[in-house]
Amino acid sequence: MVPPASRRPSRRAIAIALLVIVIAAGVGVHALLPDTAATDIVGDALYAGAVYLAVVIVGPRLQPLTVGGIAALWCVAIELFQLTGIPLALGAVFPPATLALGTVFDGRDVLVYLLTAVALVGADAVVALGREKAIAARHREG
């Protein structure tokens, strides 16, 4: 049985909870695991996931495709910003800045960001469809 809408957490509340988990996972990968290609890819995917969730928090009524587009554009823009050398310089002065801005451009990161955004759009759309079906079922019952 699906709980009534008033008792289900909102999309924003779910995104906030997931963002906390994703940030903790990202910090854990960065701090606890060796720096390898695999951990770099995982970190990039977690970064894209965090951006996706932040967009949902700011715009909870946005459609998944819109959220994914915004998140992908943000991630690619940050990656391109690394070409300026500014993120690397900021990271030298304030190391935590590298978690948000990275350091140097890597084309693989762009691919990971785009693939992660596509996967998240798909997952978000499936969840949205499930919510719509639950609402429709409640309306038929009530």
Side-chain angles (χ1 to χ4, degrees), residues 28-104:
V29 166
H30 180 74
L32 303 174
L33 298 177
D35 189 15
T36 65
T39 57
D40 184 53
I41 290 168
V42 169
D44 292 341
L46 289 168
Y47 180 82
V51 172
Y52 189 97
L53 292 166
V55 174
V56 170
I57 291 165
V58 172
R61 294 183 190 267
L62 293 173
Q63 294 299 311
L65 191 56
T66 303
V67 175
I70 293 168
L73 284 172
W74 175 270
C75 291
V76 171
I78 291 296
E79 195 66 28
L80 292 173
F81 181 52
Q82 293 169 7
L83 291 169
T84 68
I86 294 171
L88 186 61
L90 287 173
V93 176
F94 183 65
T98 63
L99 295 174
L101 300 177
T103 53
V104 295

Side-chain angles (χ1 to χ4, degrees), residues 11 62-64 121-135:
R11 186 176 186 218
L62 293 173
Q63 294 299 311
V121 165
D124 197 5
V126 167
V127 170
L129 183 61
R131 282 182 171 244
E132 289 172 13
K133 285 184 177 183
I135 290 168

